[in-house]
Amino acid sequence: MVFKEINKPFELPTYRLNYKEKIKIEHEINTNYIKYDGQEFCVHYSYGLNNKSYRYFFENHGYNNYNIYDRKYNTSRRR
């Protein structure tokens, strides 16, 4: 499903991120947008401002129109 409607509201409530972290993640999504084009719900892997790895879940309604609705910490597995 491709979203090109700017006025369509997001389905999920927004996750409260630090303003700088939100800008950083949105910039990374914009830079790699070709991976997310045409997908409604996406996951972006990145490091937060505390230098820990997270998964950022977001709704995609087109380029630079995202709703980050969750953030999960990536735990490392020992082998």
Side-chain angles (χ1 to χ4, degrees):
M1 184 179 291
V2 178
F3 280 92
K4 301 293 181 190
E5 300 177 33
I6 295 173
N7 296 327
K8 183 177 182 200
F10 293 115
E11 295 178 22
L12 300 168
T14 302
Y15 185 81
R16 297 179 64 116
L17 285 175
N18 177 314
Y19 178 75
K20 288 183 179 181
E21 185 173 9
K22 181 178 185 282
I23 296 300
K24 175 188 178 292
I25 298 306
E26 287 181 349
H27 176 71
E28 289 178 6
I29 294 170
N30 285 341
T31 302
N32 299 302
Y33 186 72
I34 192 78
K35 293 186 337 187
Y36 308 116
D37 191 18
Q39 298 179 34
E40 183 179 3
F41 294 95
C42 309
V43 179
H44 179 73
Y45 292 84
S46 182
Y47 286 91
L49 296 178
N50 59 2
N51 206 23
K52 293 183 180 179
S53 178
Y54 291 99
R55 290 172 293 175
Y56 295 89
F57 298 86
F58 67 97
E59 291 180 74
N60 179 14
H61 284 202
Y63 183 79
N64 205 29
N65 191 9
Y66 319 115
N67 173 33
I68 299 171
Y69 63 87
D70 201 5
R71 177 182 82 167
K72 301 282 186 194
Y73 178 68
N74 290 331
T75 57
S76 61
R77 297 182 186 179
R78 292 192 169 214
R79 294 179 182 202

